[in-house]
Structures are given as structure tokens and as C-alpha cells.
Amino acid sequence: MMSEEPTGETFEKAISKTAILKTIISKVTKKRMIIIFTFIIILCAVVTAGFCEYNSVYHARTIEAGMGFSAKDFQKDRNSSGYFTTDSDIVDESVPGEYIMRLRKGWFVHKVKVEVVDTIPPSGVPKSVSLEINKSCDAAEFVERIEDATAVEVSYLEEPDFSRGGKQEVKLLLTDAGGNTAELTSEMFISQVVEELYVEAGSGMPKLSDFVIEGEKAGFKTAMSTINYDRPAERTVEVLVDGLMYKTHMHIVDTTPPKARLQNISSFTTIPRKPEDFIVSINDVTEVGVSFVKEPDLTFVGEQEIQIRLVDEGENEVIETARLTLREDTEPPVITGAEALNVFIGNTVSYKKNIVVEDNCPEGLELTVDNSAVDLTQAGEYPVIYTATDYAGNSSSVTVTITVRPQVYDPNEVNAMADAVLANILTDGMSPMERAQAIFNYVTKHITYISDSDKSNPVKAAYEGLNDRKGDCYVYASTAKVLLTRAGITNMDIAKIPAKTLHYWNLVDLGEGWFHFDTTPRKDHPTIFMWTDAQLMDYSAKHHNSHNYDHDSYPTVN
């Protein structure tokens, strides 16, 4: 269908719309051109800035292993504030190689390359090595304090002879991860004996073959028999093998735990207990210490398990178990043997003699004697109180009376005592001289000398010599007198002329006249038995007139 011809009005409208559209298009084109031009300017600026920034860093650096580096090393301006990001490679400076790092600097992140190289040869200090014959070791054992930034491998330039005893030179090659090398010369000593030997304590002396690995002729230089093999110790042992002297280390060790036999205990509460109370026997070659793993509860009534720790000198430990059964103690001790006592004035009393205290728990039992009211210097009757107390605090007491009275010395009692002595020292058929000798020997051997000034009663003195067996010269002479008299031997008392000190002895007549008979001991130990007057006077003159007497007051002495 044909379109209608536009009318005049319609045409004018169309022309008007076209003009408006051109105007709009014209305005839009100008803005677009401005935007495009602006974009181009910005793009050029960015490209220019990026180019400048790219040229502000080093995109590849080479560093020596172990020398270290930082982000500043990649920036041409070291005052710039750049840093490596976390997605950079982790650099091991001891391993040569290439590593990619990401360097952030401002708005830009630069990808840079780090090359770690090793150009410095390694160094080390040679170390001597001692080995047992036919044993080998790594080449690294011959070097100490290796210095290099990278890993170093040590190898032999020439393989040592590990089967030959004595000293050898060892040549070594050190090679680092960068391929740098260095040579070292060390020393090796090959021993024909073991480097160290462990000997169990208590096993006795080891054999020579325990030390010598290889050799035709060997022997100990160390005196092995003088070493104590029962206690842990460290010893250096010298062994001569094929003409070479070797030193080896011997360790005497205790690796065997102690063994013990324990006993169970049934007792009472509160009584202290030691670990040793539970031990019957311990078997170990070294000293063993014992202790409780946990202290027992001494207040617990009933049965409890006790663990005992045993540790020997080798620090070997074992724990053994026993049982402790406790019950309360309510029974007081019983005192027997407490009876009335009689004592002479001036004598001493053994209050606990014949006293027996019994208790269901004898451990910790204590007996006390209260004799504070007793006066042994005054005649009278005094109370003595015995008190027994057990560990639980149960106690009982017994009171007895001690009567203190004057000593009355009865000649008949003294004679009876003398007769009893003579019955033991004299035999039928003895000659008078033999009888006198027996009496002299008895008095000198059975009486102990003490200083005593009471010389008023010969019966008392003889009693003290025969009963107490102690006294001074007056006691010796009085005792000899009663024994000689009861033996039927004629005798007489004799005394030194008074001077600074008095002295008493006897005269004896066996039918051949009077002789001196002095049983009192002296410092120079003379045996004044049946001495003539000349003998005694000679001795007296040499000893400060020890036996000077009034010759006119006594019969003539041979």
C-alpha cells in the first residue's frame, strides 16, 4: 500500500525534529570526545608512571649463600618503603638456586628473581679419631667445626686401612653445595683393644681376652688384681699388644637391681617405724639405700600396705611390698623384781639390778627410778619409786623401801671370805714358799689400786680388798695379812717411818727368818716377794726412801 504524501504541516514537523536530533548528537559527540581525550591522557600518565616504576627496581639479584638480603636490595632508591609479600618464595640461603619474590612498592607489585650462589670454599678443623681394629667410621668423624654457608659433604680422598693397628694419616675432601672443595689431612689411631669395656659389679676381674681384639702377644700393664670390682667405678686400663701400649676405659657398673626379703609387722599404733624394720635381708653387691615410697599412717587401726623403695649405688631401683597391721595399746607395763633394799652408809646402789619390766609392746618401753628422797650418807629408811611407761603412755609404778645402815665389819665374815679364796689358790702338798707365792700373786692380780686415806680398821681394809677388790697400800697389806694368817704363815705388819706419805707392807717368816713381802703395785713394777733387808733398803734408797722403817721396832730381817 502506498504511503500517503506528507502534508505541509507534517513536513515542517519532521524538519523540526531532525534539527533537534542533530543538535543532541552534536552535544553528545563533544562530551564523548572529551571523555576519550581524558582517558587517553590518564592512560598515557599511567603507562608513563608504570614504566618509571618498573625501572625503579632491580628485577634480578645474585647473592652469596648465607650473606642475607632484604627488599631494599632490590630498590634503586634504598629509601623507598617496599616489602616482600607473603606469596613470595621462601628462600633458604643455605641452598643455591633461583627464588621468585614479589616486591610491593606503592601501588605496584614487582616480580623479582633472587639467585643464591655459593662461591666460597668450605673450611674445617681436622680431628684425630681412635677406633677399634676392623671397625670403620664416616669421613665426617675426622672433621670438626666445619664452616660454610651451605651443606658440606666430607669424603675420603683415600680410603684408610681399618685393619692395621697404629697411627695412619687420613686425607679428606670437603665439598659444599656450590661445588667448592677443600682438602684436609687428619690422623687415625687403630687400637687392637676395645675402646671401653663394661664390667658388672661383683662379677670379678675381667679376662685379658675381654680387652684384646686382635694380636699375637698381649698382657696387662695395669695391676688388675688391685682393683675393687664390687663397687661402681671408672678405671683406665693399660694393655700391651704386639709391642704397642694401649689405654682402654673400663666401666665397673651396677645394672642389677637389689633383691630383698621383707617381713610383715603386727604391732601397735604411734610406734615409729623405719624402712629397715620391714627388711629381713638384702642381696646386692653394692650399698643399698632404703626408704618408704609413702610414710605409713601410724594412727590407722587395721592393715595397710607398705611400699619400700630400694636403690643401690648403680641407681637401680626396686619397690617391695609388706603389710603393717596396727592395734591400740591400752595395757600398762608390769614391773617385777622391785624389792626392799639394804645398803651400808657410804656405799652405792644399783637400783635397776634384778628389775624386769614386761609389756605387750616392749618397743619404746621406759623405766625410771625416783630415788630423790634417798640419802646414802645417813642411816634411815627411804622410799624408791619405780615407774614404767610404754610408748602409748600407759604406765605403772611400784614403791619399795631402801634401808641405809652403818657398816659393821665382822672378823669372822672376813676370815670366811679369806678361806674361800685360799680354797681356790692353794692345793695339798704345796710348800710354805709356794703357799706364800700363791697368796702374793692373788693379791697383786685381784686388787686395783686407788687412793684411800682410811687406815683405822684392818678388818674393814681386808673386807674391801676381798669383797670390793680395790684400795690403797693399807688394803693390800691387810688383805695379805688375813690370807697369810688363815694359811698358817707367820707374818707381821710393818710401816714406813712417817714422812709425807705412809706406806704399809708385810713381814713373813717361813721358818728361815723374816723377809719383806710387799704386794702394793709400784710404777716401776718391782716384785717385792721374800726380799732381804739389804735388797729392800737398796731399792728404798733409790726411790726416795720408799720403805724406810724403824729397824729397832721390828725383828731383824734377813
Side-chain angles (χ1 to χ4, degrees):
M1 183 176 68
M2 297 294 288
S3 61
E4 295 182 357
E5 286 286 333
T7 64
E9 183 179 352
T10 304
F11 184 77
E12 289 178 354
K13 289 181 180 179
I15 293 174
S16 177
K17 290 180 179 178
T18 302
I20 293 170
L21 180 62
K22 287 181 178 180
T23 300
I24 292 171
I25 291 172
S26 176
K27 290 181 178 180
V28 170
T29 301
K30 289 180 180 179
K31 289 182 178 179
R32 181 178 297 171
M33 292 301 293
I34 292 172
I35 291 172
I36 292 172
F37 182 74
T38 301
F39 176 77
I40 291 171
I41 292 173
I42 292 173
L43 179 62
C44 289
V46 169
V47 170
T48 301
F51 180 76
C52 293
E53 181 64 30
Y54 179 83
N55 288 325
S56 70
V57 300
Y58 300 107
H59 292 273
R61 297 300 300 264
T62 300
I63 65 169
E64 184 69 29
M67 299 301 291
F69 69 95
S70 67
K72 291 183 179 296
D73 296 328
F74 289 83
Q75 301 174 92
K76 294 180 179 180
D77 181 3
R78 294 184 63 84
N79 293 322
S80 298
S81 57
Y83 61 90
F84 292 126
T85 62
T86 56
D87 56 348
S88 300
D89 288 348
I90 297 175
V91 179
D92 185 349
E93 293 183 35
S94 66
V95 179
E98 293 185 354
Y99 300 89
I100 301 302
M101 311 297 292
R102 299 186 183 278
L103 175 63
R104 174 172 287 280
K105 187 171 174 290
W107 292 94
F108 296 92
V109 176
H110 301 275
K111 182 178 179 182
V112 298
K113 180 175 69 174
V114 179
E115 183 180 8
V116 178
V117 297
D118 181 10
T119 64
I120 301 173
S123 65
V125 177
K127 179 181 68 174
S128 297
V129 174
S130 295
L131 292 172
E132 297 175 7
I133 196 166
N134 295 324
K135 285 190 176 181
S136 60
C137 69
D138 292 333
E141 296 292 327
F142 291 89
V143 185
E144 61 183 358
R145 296 202 305 273
I146 295 177
E147 295 183 1
D148 199 84
T150 64
V152 176
E153 179 182 345
V154 182
S155 59
Y156 293 116
L157 280 173
E158 296 178 10
E159 186 78 16
D161 184 357
F162 295 105
S163 64
R164 177 168 58 87
K167 291 183 179 179
Q168 294 183 43
E169 188 178 80
V170 178
K171 294 187 177 299
L172 307 162
L173 180 67
L174 281 64
T175 306
D176 64 17
N180 307 293
T181 62
E183 293 185 9
L184 283 179
T185 301
S186 186
E187 187 178 73
M188 177 176 67
F189 182 79
I190 299 296
S191 174
Q192 293 173 263
V193 301
V194 296
E195 182 177 355
E196 54 186 354
L197 180 70
Y198 288 85
V199 178
E200 185 69 23
S203 62
M205 186 177 77
K207 301 185 293 295
L208 181 63
S209 59
D210 294 329
F211 291 91
V212 179
I213 302 172
E214 185 177 294
E216 296 182 1
K217 187 178 181 181
F220 286 118
K221 293 293 290 184
T222 300
M224 300 295 288
S225 61
T226 64
I227 297 175
N228 182 2
Y229 296 95
D230 292 333
R231 308 299 291 271
E234 301 291 326
R235 293 286 186 271
T236 297
V237 177
E238 293 183 337
V239 183
L240 186 65
V241 182
D242 295 338
L244 293 177
M245 180 67 71
Y246 297 99
K247 289 184 178 180
T248 182
H249 300 288
M250 180 173 66
H251 309 274
I252 303 175
V253 297
D254 179 10
T255 63
T256 304
K259 295 181 180 180
R261 185 163 66 90
L262 273 58
Q263 64 179 352
N264 298 327
I265 294 179
S266 179
S267 185
F268 296 93
T269 57
T270 71
I271 296 176
R273 289 294 166 196
K274 303 187 297 296
E276 292 81 1
D277 296 338
F278 295 87
I279 296 175
V280 177
S281 63
I282 297 177
N283 183 18
D284 198 88
V285 296
T286 63
E287 293 293 328
V288 177
V290 297
S291 61
F292 288 120
V293 173
K294 179 183 178 182
E295 290 288 333
D297 183 355
L298 301 178
T299 65
F300 177 75
V301 176
E303 185 179 81
Q304 56 186 296
E305 184 178 85
I306 304 299
Q307 290 185 317
I308 308 293
R309 177 183 289 108
L310 299 98
V311 183
D312 62 18
E313 291 184 32
E315 298 185 358
N316 303 294
E317 179 181 311
V318 67
I319 294 177
E320 299 288 354
T321 302
R323 308 204 73 78
L324 175 63
T325 304
L326 300 179
R327 60 188 185 278
E328 292 187 10
D329 180 11
T330 59
E331 297 182 22
V334 177
I335 302 173
T336 58
E339 299 177 349
L341 300 172
N342 291 280
V343 63
F344 294 118
I345 292 176
N347 284 2
T348 58
V349 180
S350 178
Y351 290 99
K352 291 185 178 181
K353 185 178 180 180
N354 299 324
I355 302 298
V356 177
V357 181
E358 296 178 316
D359 192 64
N360 60 338
C361 178
E363 295 174 277
L365 194 60
E366 182 181 359
L367 174 66
T368 61
V369 181
D370 182 3
N371 61 343
S372 59
V374 178
D375 184 355
L376 295 175
T377 66
Q378 296 291 330
E381 294 184 350
Y382 306 97
V384 177
I385 303 172
Y386 294 89
T387 301
T389 306
D390 63 20
Y391 203 86
N394 306 302
S395 65
S396 60
S397 297
V398 175
T399 302
V400 300
T401 299
I402 180 170
T403 301
V404 181
R405 57 187 177 85
Q407 171 74 61
V408 177
Y409 297 98
D410 184 357
N412 293 326
E413 181 182 2
V414 173
N415 289 337
M417 295 171 66
D419 291 344
V421 170
L422 294 173
N424 287 326
I425 66 174
L426 302 183
T427 59
D428 294 339
M430 276 186 170
S431 67
M433 182 65 74
E434 291 172 335
R435 295 165 72 83
Q437 183 71 67
I439 292 171
F440 183 90
N441 293 344
Y442 178 84
V443 175
T444 56
K445 293 179 180 179
H446 288 78
I447 299 178
T448 301
Y449 184 87
I450 63 170
S451 180
D452 189 345
S453 61
D454 184 7
K455 300 173 178 59
S456 62
N457 189 339
V459 177
K460 174 187 176 184
Y463 178 89
E464 291 175 350
L466 293 170
N467 186 73
D468 301 336
R469 295 187 177 183
K470 59 186 178 179
D472 60 7
C473 62
Y474 189 71
V475 170
Y476 278 87
S478 299
T479 304
K481 177 180 179 63
V482 69
L483 290 172
L484 290 167
T485 302
R486 298 300 292 177
I489 297 174
T490 303
N491 65 90
M492 178 186 295
D493 300 338
I494 185 171
K496 175 186 174 184
I497 294 175
K500 291 184 180 180
T501 58
L502 292 174
H503 181 59
Y504 298 86
W505 68 98
N506 308 96
L507 293 177
V508 172
D509 183 1
L510 299 179
E512 298 179 356
W514 295 97
F515 291 87
H516 292 286
F517 187 100
D518 189 351
T519 55
T520 303
R522 304 187 69 84
K523 291 182 180 180
D524 55 341
H525 308 293
T527 303
I528 307 177
F529 173 71
M530 305 304 288
W531 274 18
T532 65
D533 200 61
Q535 285 179 293
L536 188 61
M537 290 304 98
D538 180 63
Y539 178 85
S540 178
K542 295 177 181 178
H543 293 81
H544 309 287
N545 296 321
S546 61
H547 290 76
N548 188 28
Y549 70 96
D550 184 1
H551 288 69
D552 294 334
S553 300
Y554 299 94
T556 301
V557 180
N558 290 329

